Amino acid sequence: MNMQTFDKTEQHNPHNFIAEAVFAVEMVKSNEQTQKQIKAKQLLDTLFPLESGSHEDVVSYEIDYRHVQAYFKNGQHSGLKHAKRFVAYAGDKCSPDSILLRDESGTHVEVTMGRRKGTGCLELVAIDDIQLETCTTFGQAEGHNGTGLRHWVSLVKGDEKCRPKASNEDKEYTAKNGEDYTLGFAFSF
């Protein structure tokens, strides 16, 4: 499978490409917010592309039935190219605080929306943060389930030295079917 990188060169290993896209976001210092926004939205285009258009041009996201819809300045809208990657949201359906997506490997990615500036004009969506789920698992013995710890790595927000921050916390959402969707810090499998 051939995929394109940000500079439009072809890449033959999609896992390297995704790692490069995540690295591109992480390498921008957290105090360079304009550049950080551009790279964060390019990462969303890479991992969770829209059927048409780019996350860079979105003015709002809404939850419509069991799908996430991205709206553009011209009034058009688009869903995700792979609609099944949307799994849950937090906040109001018409203006979600965050959207939870899951890639083909089962890794969760939380996209937290920034607050509007209130200019009265249509504004592009600001991404407050993108948190990538990582898990540490502890052995599965014969006849016993394993356990794990879930960590969230912030790709947009950084620490005082502008490095990505990690956190461990329980997260609660509304699943696309309306039920509770909880991702606990500690879990069994």
Side-chain angles (χ1 to χ4, degrees):
M1 171 190 291
N2 292 336
M3 299 184 83
Q4 292 185 342
T5 62
F6 295 138
D7 63 359
K8 307 293 185 216
T9 58
E10 290 200 13
Q11 190 75 295
H12 297 285
N13 185 339
H15 296 292
N16 287 345
F17 174 63
I18 291 169
E20 287 176 14
V22 169
F23 187 69
V25 176
E26 287 181 331
M27 290 310 298
V28 178
K29 292 184 178 179
S30 59
N31 59 355
E32 297 176 16
Q33 280 303 306
T34 302
Q35 189 64 19
K36 197 70 137 165
Q37 286 292 312
I38 292 168
K39 293 294 185 186
K41 291 175 181 182
Q42 287 175 344
L43 175 65
L44 291 177
D45 284 337
T46 301
L47 297 177
F48 306 103
L50 299 172
E51 283 182 323
S52 63
S54 167
H55 289 279
E56 291 184 65
D57 302 320
V58 173
V59 295
S60 71
Y61 291 97
E62 292 184 15
I63 310 306
D64 181 25
Y65 187 55
R66 294 181 179 213
H67 303 281
V68 64
Q69 293 290 320
Y71 287 84
F72 304 101
K73 282 186 178 182
N74 64 5
Q76 294 182 343
H77 65 277
S78 176
L80 294 175
K81 187 174 185 177
H82 306 284
K84 291 182 179 182
R85 302 239 172 112
F86 165 65
V87 293
Y89 67 97
D92 185 60
K93 282 184 164 190
C94 294
S95 181
D97 296 326
S98 62
I99 297 171
L100 187 67
L101 306 165
R102 188 173 53 214
D103 69 11
E104 67 275 356
S105 70
T107 300
H108 290 94
V109 176
E110 179 187 49
V111 181
T112 306
M113 306 308 157
R115 295 289 156 225
R116 302 256 180 212
K117 295 175 188 159
T119 63
C121 299
L122 279 177
E123 303 169 22
L124 296 176
V125 167
I127 303 297
D128 189 45
D129 201 4
I130 295 177
Q131 291 192 346
L132 184 65
E133 173 192 41
T134 62
C135 296
T136 304
T137 56
F138 304 99
Q140 189 173 0
E142 192 172 312
H144 299 286
N145 288 338
T147 60
L149 300 176
R150 182 174 282 115
H151 312 283
W152 295 94
V153 178
S154 173
L155 300 180
V156 176
K157 292 184 176 182
D159 64 12
E160 62 282 348
K161 295 183 180 180
C162 299
R163 295 178 301 207
K165 289 195 303 190
S167 64
N168 303 327
E169 59 187 288
D170 295 340
K171 293 190 178 245
E172 296 179 1
Y173 305 92
T174 303
K176 61 184 174 183
N177 65 4
E179 295 179 9
D180 291 340
Y181 193 97
T182 303
L183 295 173
F185 164 61
F187 61 94
S188 298
F189 59 93

